[in-house]
Amino acid sequence: VPTGDTVHKEYQTSPVPTPATQTATTTPTPTTTTTDPSTTTPKPTTTPATTRTTTVAAAAKTRPGLHRVRDIAFRGISTSASNRNILRPNTGIQRQEPVAAFQRAAGSPAHLAMETDSWKPGLSLFDTGFSSKEELNPKPLESISQGNPNCKVDLSFLIDGSWSIGKRRFQLQKQFLGNVAQALGIGSTGPLMGIIQYGDDPSTEFNLKTYANSKDLRNAIEKIPQKGGLSNVGKALSFVNKNFFSDANGNRGGAPNVVVVMVDGWPTDQVEEASRLARESGINIFFVTIEAAAGSEKQNVIEPNFVDKAVCRTNGFYSINVPSWFSLHKVVQPLVKRVCDTDRLVCSKTCLNSADIGFIIDGSSSVGTSNFRTVLQFVANISKEFEISDTDTRIGAVQYTYEQRLEFSFDKYSTKQDVLSAIKRISYWSGGTSTGAAISYASEQLFSKSKPNKRKIMILITDGRSYDDVRVPAMAAHQNGVIAYSIGVAWAAQDELEAIATDPDKEHSFFVDEFDNLYRFVNQLIQNICTEFNSQPRN
């Protein structure tokens, strides 16, 4: 088996596998394989403060032993349960967290000078923020350093152990990883880093909680032996998605998940499907490619544009190409600066953690006290499926009759329990039905105060025809970026429900004959919200 540097891609001198054998050997393992009947029962929603659970009361297919973050995927018409990351987070909606302090430390002019012009075009595209959830701080790890608090990310490096890389380049790769670990400032309140080596098959060298300071991590990296084999990157991405970011491995939940893939030349399997599933789990994928395929070798590349198919976004931010292994040291600081720029790690966003949701509740006389309580239960059942905090999804509510009342604003409550308690306390008003005025009021009192990095979702529930026009207020809301869902009960007018709803109407408006059947729409509504979120262009 070749181990030297003399021929860069020596294994490629043998015939390339036929497409049939290639597919058979490299198709990523399906993310969900079995359905455990016990997992279809929703988990209880009363949990310790440090644990966030989200349940969707539908047949959930939960992969055994995985972090709750990985447990959900809305694809097609399936629904399943999770806590944090579900779908491909494509909107660029972010949380706010200044990274200026870190930029002073690791992004000084001397360091930034290393970032060549070819990487710069993408750097200004995403300005909005993503902040780690400080209330979810992990238990302190034993370490001599707490790490750089301005770079709180959970980081996995996929390193190339294939024979084609040779011993010398493998050593250069380890030096690079050691320098990155040093520059990151590893620690329990800062970045944590684990490593997976891939060849024919991937294996974890160490996980997030194995080493809690840069010195120990560097020493451990130096001792990693080369495993050999092919460069099966797709298989490695599938492995990291299913196995790496778990509670048992030290995943913190409140820190973005980042994977950096090191590739010598090109992968020997397909990466597109495995990387898509990883992105839909909320993983930010970066690629560092070294010495791309030469002209004579390109015919052997399975996916010529594999980087664009794999990375989180193809804006130049998530990919770095290095012409030679011997210039790899020059990208240490640029790479560290990017993975620590939590403002721009957009793939950590999911449909459950990135919205401002305003409920517009009909409190007119025709509803009645008993039905009003049923409506509030419906509102609570929807709310509890989202991950609620001041940096995640926020909930607000307006009740209306002829008049309108702000029950609570988006910034009023920052925990799920507080939101559910506030919904329960809403008192029935009774009066007429001016739905158009209620939409205008909600636009002004709720959505005008929405954060620019949030999806604005309005869920309006009414049981009758409005006394005023709904079309003009609804159109104004749509134009201001509000995604409107209308839910009609009993005597609600279908034409008004469709006018209120964002296009396409069928996916944003619902009608039910009686209040007791409202519960049937909870799963469908959340599924539609998530499907729409996931259908946004990735790049």
Side-chain angles (χ1 to χ4, degrees):
V1 182
T3 56
D5 286 337
T6 51
V7 180
H8 177 43
K9 283 284 175 186
E10 291 177 83
Y11 66 85
Q12 286 291 357
T13 57
S14 60
V16 180
T18 63
T21 52
Q22 191 66 37
T23 304
T25 56
T26 63
T27 304
T29 314
T31 311
T32 307
T33 52
T34 59
T35 303
D36 178 353
S38 66
T39 63
T40 60
T41 308
K43 287 173 264 182
T45 52
T46 49
T47 55
T50 54
T51 307
R52 294 165 169 243
T53 26
T54 304
T55 62
V56 175
K61 297 183 181 178
T62 308
R63 292 189 292 278
L66 297 191
H67 181 230
R68 55 187 185 272
V69 165
R70 303 271 161 251
D71 287 349
I72 188 161
F74 287 84
R75 283 189 288 277
I77 57 166
S78 68
T79 53
S80 43
S82 160
N83 178 14
R84 182 165 83 85
N85 291 331
I86 323 188
L87 291 181
R88 190 183 312 156
N90 305 329
T91 55
I93 315 168
Q94 314 305 327
R95 306 186 181 100
Q96 301 288 344
E97 174 172 299
V99 288
F102 172 69
Q103 287 167 342
R104 285 195 293 275
S108 64
H111 296 137
L112 298 182
M114 295 182 186
E115 191 151 1
T116 69
D117 290 340
S118 62
W119 303 323
K120 287 178 180 172
L123 288 178
S124 60
L125 294 184
F126 298 96
D127 305 314
T128 49
F130 174 110
S131 80
S132 48
K133 299 182 269 300
E134 298 301 23
E135 74 273 17
L136 284 185
N137 277 346
K139 292 175 183 174
L141 301 171
E142 291 181 17
S143 67
I144 54 174
S145 163
Q146 294 300 298
N148 175 7
N150 295 307
C151 179
K152 188 179 176 184
V153 294
D154 288 343
L155 183 62
S156 173
F157 270 83
L158 302 190
I159 65 169
D160 192 336
S162 62
W163 289 130
S164 68
I165 198 174
K167 289 182 179 177
R168 190 180 184 193
R169 293 188 185 94
F170 189 75
Q171 191 60 34
L172 289 171
Q173 183 174 217
K174 291 199 295 185
Q175 287 174 12
F176 173 74
L177 290 172
N179 292 338
V180 167
Q182 185 66 41
L184 280 168
I186 300 299
S188 57
T189 62
L192 294 179
M193 178 172 158
I195 292 179
I196 291 169
Q197 183 181 174
Y198 67 89
D200 291 336
D201 294 295
S203 58
T204 302
E205 298 292 344
F206 35 83
N207 63 36
L208 293 168
K209 66 180 183 183
T210 312
Y211 301 103
N213 64 75
S214 297
K215 183 182 175 186
D216 291 348
L217 186 55
R218 291 191 79 167
N219 291 338
I221 289 168
E222 189 53 43
K223 296 186 177 81
I224 296 174
Q226 185 176 2
K227 66 185 291 170
L230 299 177
S231 299
N232 287 336
V233 175
K235 198 180 270 191
L237 282 167
S238 182
F239 176 85
V240 76
N241 185 31
K242 294 176 191 173
N243 302 295
F244 188 82
F245 293 107
S246 66
D247 290 343
N249 288 342
N251 189 57
R252 292 172 287 185
N257 292 156
V258 179
V259 169
V260 179
V261 184
M262 308 284 293
V263 184
D264 171 51
W266 68 91
T268 51
D269 66 349
Q270 293 181 316
V271 302
E272 184 173 13
E273 177 69 5
S275 57
R276 179 181 69 81
L277 293 172
R279 289 194 311 269
E280 288 181 0
S281 296
I283 295 174
N284 295 274
I285 300 175
F286 287 78
F287 259 62
V288 178
T289 49
I290 307 101
E291 297 182 5
S296 60
E297 299 168 323
K298 285 182 178 174
Q299 66 194 40
N300 297 326
V301 180
I302 298 161
E303 288 178 316
N305 56 341
F306 65 88
V307 173
D308 286 353
K309 290 181 177 181
V311 295
C312 174
R313 282 176 183 261
T314 56
N315 60 1
F317 182 73
Y318 288 92
S319 55
I320 296 177
N321 178 252
V322 187
S324 161
W325 280 95
F326 300 99
S327 56
L328 191 56
H329 63 280
K330 293 179 182 176
V331 303
V332 171
Q333 289 297 344
L335 179 63
V336 166
K337 179 171 177 285
R338 293 185 195 194
V339 300
C340 288
D341 192 351
T342 50
D343 283 4
R344 300 176 61 191
L345 297 180
V346 296
C347 284
S348 301
K349 295 315 236 174
T350 73
C351 63
L352 295 190
N353 71 7
S354 55
D356 279 344
I357 301 176
F359 289 94
I360 319 303
I361 304 166
D362 186 344
S364 61
S365 304
S366 57
V367 175
T369 307
S370 175
N371 287 334
F372 189 76
R373 304 318 299 175
T374 303
V375 170
L376 294 185
Q377 186 61 56
F378 174 71
V379 170
N381 287 344
I382 294 169
S383 299
K384 70 185 181 186
E385 302 301 341
F386 289 86
E387 185 177 350
I388 295 170
S389 80
D390 54 349
T391 57
D392 291 303
T393 288
R394 304 184 304 169
I395 306 288
V398 165
Q399 184 182 175
Y400 74 96
T401 58
Y402 281 130
E403 302 174 272
Q404 308 84 34
R405 184 166 75 197
L406 180 64
E407 300 292 354
F408 53 91
S409 56
F410 292 134
D411 58 2
K412 180 75 171 173
Y413 303 109
S414 58
T415 71
K416 186 176 295 188
Q417 199 50 57
D418 287 347
V419 165
L420 296 178
S421 298
I423 292 167
K424 199 173 181 179
R425 289 195 304 270
I426 294 174
S427 59
Y428 176 46
W429 205 356
S430 188
T433 312
S434 293
T435 309
I439 295 169
S440 298
Y441 179 86
S443 294
E444 178 58 37
Q445 296 299 318
L446 276 180
F447 294 108
S448 67
K449 298 174 174 64
S450 183
K451 291 183 180 179
N453 59 355
K454 302 282 189 184
R455 284 168 74 80
K456 296 185 280 192
I457 297 176
M458 178 172 78
I459 299 176
L460 184 142
I461 305 133
T462 182
D463 81 326
R465 183 174 284 280
S466 177
Y467 294 166
D468 63 357
D469 174 60
V470 299
R471 284 165 178 74
V472 173
M475 195 177 296
H478 300 163
Q479 288 170 348
N480 286 328
V482 174
I483 301 164
Y485 288 84
S486 59
I487 293 144
V489 189
W491 296 279
Q494 188 65 40
D495 59 324
E496 288 185 349
L497 296 177
E498 291 175 2
I500 294 165
T502 295
D503 289 333
D505 300 338
K506 271 189 265 185
E507 292 170 21
H508 295 87
S509 62
F510 301 87
F511 178 83
V512 63
D513 53 356
E514 54 186 62
F515 286 92
D516 286 345
N517 289 330
L518 271 173
Y519 74 92
R520 294 179 181 172
F521 286 137
V522 173
N523 292 339
Q524 187 65 50
L525 188 64
I526 291 162
Q527 181 179 312
N528 287 12
I529 288 170
C530 287
T531 301
E532 182 170 53
F533 180 97
N534 194 39
S535 69
Q536 301 302 307
R538 180 170 63 84
N539 296 308

